[in-house]
Structures are given as C-alpha cells and as structure tokens.
Amino acid sequence: MNLIAILISSMIINNIVLMQFLGLCSFFGVSTKMKSVVGMGLAVITVIFLSALITFPLYKYVLVELHIEYIDTIAFILVIASLVQLTELVIKRFSQSLYKALGVYLPLIATNCAVLGVALTNAQATGQTYPEALMYALGSGLGYAFIIITFTAIRLRL
C-alpha cells in the first residue's frame, strides 16, 4: 500500500513539473504536436525509471561504501547520458517519424533536470528502500507525461 501511495504522490501531488518546476525546457519545446508529446513522455518515463534502477544502487552500494558521495552528480549524469543515447538509438531504429518529430529535444533529455532531480532525490532520501525509489521514479515519469500531454491537449484546443 505504501508503494501505491508513493506512486500516486509523486505522479499527482508532488509532480516534478508543477511542484518542483523541473523539466520545463522539453515541456515547452515539444508541446506543439500530440505525437511528439506522447513520444517525449514515454522517453522521459523510460529514462527516469531506468536511471533510478541504476543510480539508486550505484549511490547506496558504491559511492556511499567508498565514501565518495560527493561525485554523485557526475556519476548520475554519466548514467543518464548513456541511457539517453540508448533511448535515442531505440527510437531512431523503431520510429523514424517520432525521432524526427522530437528533434533536438530527445538528446536534451540527458540534460533534463527532471531526470537528474529524481535521481538525486532518490539518492539523498534517507531510509528509502529500492522499491520505494523505483515507485517514486515511475510516478515522477508518469506525472511528467500526464502533465505534458494534458497541457498540450489544452494548448492545441485553444
């Protein structure tokens, strides 16, 4: 039950776009076509979740154990950049039209502060378990996608 509460809380209540103002660059840049927005939302969900999958154990079991927590930002940026490159290759391989529609904003996921913000929040949360960190990341990604899709629908309707 706690995991569901974390998922809903990070998705709706503590939304990374609306409450923390993270990820606004891609949010404003891509929100002109619904296909681009859905693709960006899925890409951000994937990158945030996969980065949490890797960065949480990296921080807790490597950086903390070696007493080098101070390089967490650098380590997380390397992980996120690698995941974005992988995501970009997959999108380019399976959906050329989406790859072209996302344009420059797809590589910008690597510098998207939402992805790094979720990784840093998960790493610095004391007493948080691995499943809780993954639920927070999944909820944050879903919340980003939900808000960008909703706001784009409103924008296109107006």
Side-chain angles (χ1 to χ4, degrees), residues 5 22 27 46 56 75-77 83 104 130 132 143 145 149-150 158:
L22 297 175
F27 179 80
T46 303
F56 186 84
F76 293 173
I77 288 173
L83 289 171
V104 70
Y130 192 49
E132 290 171 345
I149 290 169
T150 303
L158 291 175

Side-chain angles (χ1 to χ4, degrees), residues 81-97:
S82 301
L83 289 171
V84 168
Q85 288 298 323
L86 180 65
T87 304
E88 185 175 5
L89 290 173
V90 169
I91 290 174
K92 187 175 183 180
R93 170 77 168 94
F94 292 107
S95 179
Q96 277 291 328
S97 61

Side-chain angles (χ1 to χ4, degrees), residues 48 51-52 55-56 76 80 114-124 136:
I48 285 179
S51 69
T55 57
F56 186 84
F76 293 173
I80 291 166
V115 180
L116 182 60
V118 169
L120 289 171
T121 301
N122 272 341
Q124 296 167 355
Y136 176 75

Side-chain angles (χ1 to χ4, degrees), residues 116-158:
L116 182 60
V118 169
L120 289 171
T121 301
N122 272 341
Q124 296 167 355
T126 55
Q128 187 178 33
T129 64
Y130 192 49
E132 290 171 345
L134 294 179
M135 282 298 111
Y136 176 75
L138 181 61
S140 296
L142 289 170
Y144 176 88
F146 172 71
I147 293 302
I148 195 171
I149 290 169
T150 303
F151 277 49
T152 299
I154 293 169
R155 180 180 182 177
L156 292 175
R157 183 76 174 147
L158 291 175

Side-chain angles (χ1 to χ4, degrees), residues 35-135:
K35 184 177 181 182
S36 307
V37 168
V38 171
M40 178 61 85
L42 291 173
V44 169
I45 290 169
T46 303
V47 171
I48 285 179
F49 185 76
L50 291 176
S51 69
L53 199 64
I54 297 168
T55 57
F56 186 84
L58 174 69
Y59 183 81
K60 297 290 181 188
Y61 303 116
V62 177
L63 299 180
V64 170
E65 294 297 321
L66 296 175
H67 304 291
I68 53 172
E69 302 93 354
Y70 54 88
I71 67 164
D72 59 353
T73 304
I74 296 168
F76 293 173
I77 288 173
L78 290 173
V79 169
I80 291 166
S82 301
L83 289 171
V84 168
Q85 288 298 323
L86 180 65
T87 304
E88 185 175 5
L89 290 173
V90 169
I91 290 174
K92 187 175 183 180
R93 170 77 168 94
F94 292 107
S95 179
Q96 277 291 328
S97 61
L98 178 59
Y99 178 76
K100 289 177 184 174
L102 291 175
V104 70
Y105 294 101
L106 186 58
L108 284 178
I109 296 174
T111 59
N112 190 333
C113 56
V115 180
L116 182 60
V118 169
L120 289 171
T121 301
N122 272 341
Q124 296 167 355
T126 55
Q128 187 178 33
T129 64
Y130 192 49
E132 290 171 345
L134 294 179
M135 282 298 111

